[in-house]
Amino acid sequence: MTSTTPEPVPPGVPAPASPLTELDARNLGPVRRWFAVHPVGTDRVVVGLYLAATALALAVTDVPAARWWVAAASFVVAALLLRRRAHPVGVTVAVSVIGAIGILTLGDTAAFDLAAAFGVYTVASNRPAHDAWSTAGVAIVMVAGAALIASPSATYDDGLRIPADVPLGTITADRVVTAVFVVVVILIALSIGSTVHSRRLHIADLLDRANGFAREAEQSAQIAAAAERGRIAREMHDVVAHSLTVMVALADGAKALGPKDPELARQALDELTETGRTALTDMRSVLGVLRAPESGTENELATGAPDLDDVVATFRTAGLPVRLVREGGAANLPVPTRRAVERIVTEALTNVLRHAPLSPDVRVSLGGVWNPDGPGRSVEIVVLNTHGPGQSKSTSGAQQGIIGMRERATALGGTIEAGPYGSGWRVRALLPLKEEM
């Protein structure tokens, strides 16, 4: 059975925020919020208002014999209104047709105009404008048209209203007033529904933008966290892999030199101690960044970088015949570039020490070059070694270091090449310089 427990959020990555909804954006009171959250309850309230209006109309109608017909038609209309959200246009047209038939049969509008207005509002608040106006036109033609030719008329005698027996189709002032009233009610419903629809579209657009910004911020945080993890992983690789490789080589050298040359063995042990202290310092810096991710990570990781001469000297003490050649145009490098140069050289020499410790010649070149197809001036780093007798050119186990060097070069907009070269192996990196040297 699979577990449904959500995966924990990684450290440094904010928990995903829930998308904003329309209820979050609208400042609704308790009553309006209840209607917004309970659409079925809202439909029942609408049907109740319609039936109450119908009952009031039946109580004052001048045609008692037709009350049973109006009551039956009202329940049919009420059932249709309960479905107005699913089929707003069809329900409004059906209600208008039933209302027109009821007015023509009863000779009174009863509450059919109110039902048509509810339907028009639903269409206008949920459908495009052309659907709303078309449906409202059908409702006006059916209900207002029937009221214009069949609604009751009356005469007045000493202030008393006396029903007038006016033939069907005869237009009177009372019927015109009733028809105009029906049109006004339907147009008011259309106007309110259109306003609600426009407000919903506006709120939806604002919510899309807000949720889009939230998603972008979350993705940016995740990307930044992934980049931070990658940068810290590179630093950990430098501290652990590089330092331990050199320390093992120094320890082996000191052991081998102990009986023959105690002074050289002592120097190797001193270098071993210094390398260990440097590794501990770097490790504390990395762990400090992990404990305080909000601090200046790049600056903290960039401090304490060893000088390139010290790097070469350390590997020379470990037994590699390293030569450092500085050429023109590579002085006063920016801190990020100097950091990348030292790390690339350290990684390359570590791979030589690990995979080709018997190399008779290892050369480190640092100089400035001009890139005709690139960003102008660049600093070039070349680490070239010649394989010793019985050594292969296999790089199994060094691929992670090559990936780390490539990431460092790419971070500065540079390139790196690593592969067989003549009888040995060459690492060549080009790091662009933003300022002329």
Side-chain angles (χ1 to χ4, degrees), residues 168-213:
L168 182 68
T170 302
I171 299 178
T172 64
D174 287 344
R175 289 177 174 175
V176 171
V177 171
T178 303
V180 170
F181 176 78
V182 172
V183 171
V184 170
V185 170
I186 293 177
L187 290 180
I188 290 175
L190 175 65
S191 176
I192 296 175
S194 299
T195 302
V196 171
H197 182 66
S198 298
R199 184 187 62 192
R200 286 176 178 172
L201 292 179
H202 180 63
I203 292 177
D205 181 62
L206 294 178
L207 291 176
D208 286 341
R209 294 184 183 183
N211 289 327
F213 291 147

Side-chain angles (χ1 to χ4, degrees), residues 122-370:
T122 305
V123 176
S125 61
N126 293 279
R127 293 296 183 88
H130 57 84
D131 289 347
W133 281 98
S134 300
T135 307
V138 172
I140 288 174
V141 169
M142 300 298 296
V143 181
L148 185 63
I149 63 177
S151 61
S153 296
T155 58
Y156 296 89
D157 184 11
D158 295 333
L160 298 177
R161 185 178 185 276
I162 303 174
D165 188 11
V166 181
L168 182 68
T170 302
I171 299 178
T172 64
D174 287 344
R175 289 177 174 175
V176 171
V177 171
T178 303
V180 170
F181 176 78
V182 172
V183 171
V184 170
V185 170
I186 293 177
L187 290 180
I188 290 175
L190 175 65
S191 176
I192 296 175
S194 299
T195 302
V196 171
H197 182 66
S198 298
R199 184 187 62 192
R200 286 176 178 172
L201 292 179
H202 180 63
I203 292 177
D205 181 62
L206 294 178
L207 291 176
D208 286 341
R209 294 184 183 183
N211 289 327
F213 291 147
R215 286 191 297 270
E216 290 179 3
E218 181 180 343
Q219 292 172 358
S220 298
Q222 293 175 351
I223 292 173
E228 191 73 11
R229 288 194 296 269
R231 182 162 55 248
I232 293 173
R234 290 194 299 270
E235 297 297 329
M236 293 290 288
H237 176 268
D238 293 343
V239 172
V240 176
H242 299 171
S243 300
L244 289 183
T245 300
V246 173
M247 291 169 69
V248 169
L250 290 171
D252 290 341
K255 181 179 179 181
L257 292 172
K260 301 177 182 179
D261 193 338
E263 181 62 24
L264 287 179
R266 186 187 63 79
Q267 293 179 6
L269 290 175
D270 291 341
E271 190 67 31
L272 174 62
T273 303
E274 184 62 27
T275 302
R277 287 184 181 137
T278 302
L280 286 176
T281 301
D282 291 342
M283 184 68 74
R284 291 192 189 99
S285 176
V286 174
L287 295 179
V289 171
L290 288 175
R291 288 192 295 267
E294 70 279 359
S295 60
T297 303
E298 189 65 33
N299 292 333
E300 290 186 23
L301 294 181
T303 59
D307 185 78
L308 192 57
D309 292 313
D310 296 335
V311 172
V312 172
T314 300
F315 282 93
R316 189 180 294 122
T317 304
L320 282 182
V322 186
R323 294 185 295 121
L324 175 60
V325 178
R326 295 181 183 270
E327 300 177 353
N332 299 324
L333 296 177
V335 172
T337 305
R338 189 177 73 251
R339 177 72 171 179
V341 169
E342 291 158 353
R343 287 305 192 186
I344 290 173
V345 171
T346 303
E347 178 65 47
L349 293 179
T350 301
N351 289 337
V352 175
L353 184 61
R354 184 183 302 155
H355 302 286
L358 301 180
S359 297
D361 182 46
V362 182
R363 184 173 185 269
V364 178
S365 301
L366 178 65
V369 298
W370 177 265

Side-chain angles (χ1 to χ4, degrees), residues 20-45:
L20 293 176
T21 63
E22 184 177 354
L23 287 178
D24 298 325
R26 296 172 61 188
N27 186 18
L28 301 178
V31 177
R32 295 178 62 193
R33 177 173 287 272
W34 186 91
F35 281 120
V37 175
H38 302 87
V40 176
T42 303
D43 291 339
R44 291 175 180 174
V45 171

Side-chain angles (χ1 to χ4, degrees), residues 53-69:
T54 301
L56 180 61
L58 291 176
V60 298
T61 183
D62 295 326
V63 189
R67 288 178 179 173
W68 66 269
W69 192 97

